[in-house]
Amino acid sequence: MDPIGTADPADGLASRYAFSLPPELVAQKPAERRDAARLMHLLPDGTAEDRIFSELPELLAPGDILVRNDVRVFPARLRGRRRGGGTAEVLLVRREDLAEREIWLCLARPANRFKPGREFAFGDGELIGRALGLDDRGMARLEFPLVGPAFMEILERLGQVPLPPYIARPGGVPTPEDTVRYQTVYAARPGAVAAPTAGLHFTPEVDGRLRERGVQIAGLTLHVGPGTFRPIKAVKLDSHRMDPEWFEISPASWREVLQTRKRGGRVVAVGTTTVRALETAAAGGELSGWTDIFIRPGHRFALVDGLVTNFHL
């Protein structure tokens, strides 16, 4: 596959890829039907067609494979108070790999309140978190008394689904509709603080017509982190560092992808998270692990032939 776009500008300036998106053009509510969203079909010659997402099956060919990220957004945002006074808010990002202790790395606000030993009460005191201090990136380490399933059960009740910062809600609180629509219909494996948004437009009806057309559907998992909302602040692209995210591809899905390419079918990724997982596995040979791959102009694709994606800044 050719490199993204045309030639990579020699100066590598990130500003070459910035564009203006007027706030009034950012939809604050989803289309009534998931598959009723508009779809731009970009053709190999650079021309574009206006389509509707429900027409996606006719844009793919029998023998193609569609690969999707089946991660599920969990209610990672907790709002509470510091014992002794003052509000606090945390976004649970990643659980530390400890069998008998429930310790999470969090984005905390305000971070300066999360000094070691301080306690925070969430949900009228139903859940207590104790600060262990900040790491070298300014993320708070928070320990909870409940472990494993008991912790996740109370988190499902007290936590909120973290919406993107460009979606405005009164008090920043998601609506009941948000908790349903900001989740793909095939979400299965909890672990993301943001939805793989390209998949939000799929419906069982679209899936059915894809299969009728002879298009395979395979899944993988990448735990989307808060870095998906983080802007590129580096002047040059080479200086930008991606946040590492965990991914996992089952041997069965991997075989289906490789067999598709062997017989001449196209591998079409749903979302950039899926692209990053597939290209990481192709480069390193491992089907699970941490990825911080930054795909930009000049990258030559090893597996991915096409992409279904949303518009993002």
Side-chain angles (χ1 to χ4, degrees):
M1 186 174 183
D2 292 333
I4 296 176
T6 55
D8 187 11
D11 57 19
L13 292 176
S15 60
R16 291 187 180 274
Y17 307 93
F19 63 90
S20 174
L21 181 59
E24 65 271 17
L25 295 184
V26 178
Q28 294 299 308
K29 290 186 177 180
E32 186 174 345
R33 280 185 54 85
R34 288 177 182 262
D35 58 11
R38 295 173 64 189
L39 176 70
M40 182 176 73
H41 180 210
L42 187 63
L43 298 164
D45 63 4
T47 59
E49 298 176 337
D50 283 329
R51 297 279 194 148
I52 301 297
F53 194 87
S54 59
E55 299 172 343
L56 177 66
E58 65 190 68
L59 302 180
L60 300 175
D64 288 346
I65 188 169
L66 202 66
V67 188
R68 308 189 295 201
N69 185 359
D70 66 4
V71 75
R72 180 175 177 271
V73 183
F74 72 103
R77 190 179 302 281
L78 288 169
R79 302 174 192 266
R81 301 188 67 82
R82 177 171 62 88
R83 286 192 169 179
T87 61
E89 181 180 319
V90 297
L91 178 65
L92 305 181
V93 174
R94 186 166 67 247
R95 185 184 187 274
E96 293 190 356
D97 190 16
L98 301 168
E100 298 179 357
R101 297 179 70 187
E102 196 74 40
I103 298 176
W104 284 77
L105 280 175
C106 316
L107 292 176
R109 191 167 59 181
N112 59 6
R113 289 184 179 166
F114 285 75
K115 293 181 170 58
R118 283 187 173 177
E119 292 190 339
F120 299 84
F122 305 98
D124 294 327
E126 290 183 73
L127 182 64
I128 303 297
R130 183 170 63 90
L132 303 178
L134 305 179
D135 71 2
D136 56 4
R137 293 173 297 172
M139 296 182 70
R141 296 177 69 240
L142 208 57
E143 182 172 18
F144 299 94
L146 301 174
V147 178
F151 174 76
M152 295 306 297
E153 186 277 329
I154 198 168
L155 186 62
E156 288 288 338
R157 288 193 290 107
L158 300 183
Q160 297 173 351
V161 170
L163 293 178
Y166 48 80
I167 301 297
R169 293 291 182 267
V173 179
T175 67
E177 181 189 32
D178 291 332
T179 61
V180 174
R181 294 298 300 273
Y182 193 64
Q183 200 83 264
T184 63
V185 296
Y186 50 82
R189 305 182 68 183
V193 301
T197 54
L200 295 177
H201 310 293
F202 283 87
T203 62
E205 292 77 15
V206 169
D207 283 5
R209 288 193 288 111
L210 284 165
R211 292 189 173 97
E212 289 173 3
R213 190 166 171 79
V215 177
Q216 284 185 276
I217 300 175
L220 56 76
T221 305
L222 183 139
H223 291 182
V224 189
T228 191
F229 302 133
R230 194 164 292 150
I232 295 177
K233 295 182 179 180
V235 174
K236 292 196 173 186
L237 293 177
D238 285 347
S239 299
H240 178 67
R241 293 293 174 263
M242 301 285 287
D243 287 358
E245 296 170 316
W246 178 263
F247 78 95
E248 185 174 354
I249 306 172
S250 72
S253 289
W254 189 245
R255 281 194 302 271
E256 291 173 1
V257 168
L258 297 182
Q259 288 169 1
T260 296
R261 287 189 64 86
K262 187 175 182 179
R263 62 173 179 262
R266 294 178 299 175
V267 177
V268 181
V270 177
T272 54
T273 63
T274 301
V275 175
R276 295 176 68 238
L278 289 173
E279 292 296 302
T280 298
E286 298 294 332
L287 298 186
S288 65
W290 294 96
T291 178
D292 61 358
I293 186 173
F294 179 21
I295 297 176
R296 56 192 186 276
H299 177 83
R300 292 191 177 275
F301 289 88
L303 280 180
V304 177
D305 301 299
L307 173 65
V308 179
T309 189
N310 276 335
F311 285 107
H312 293 281
L313 281 172

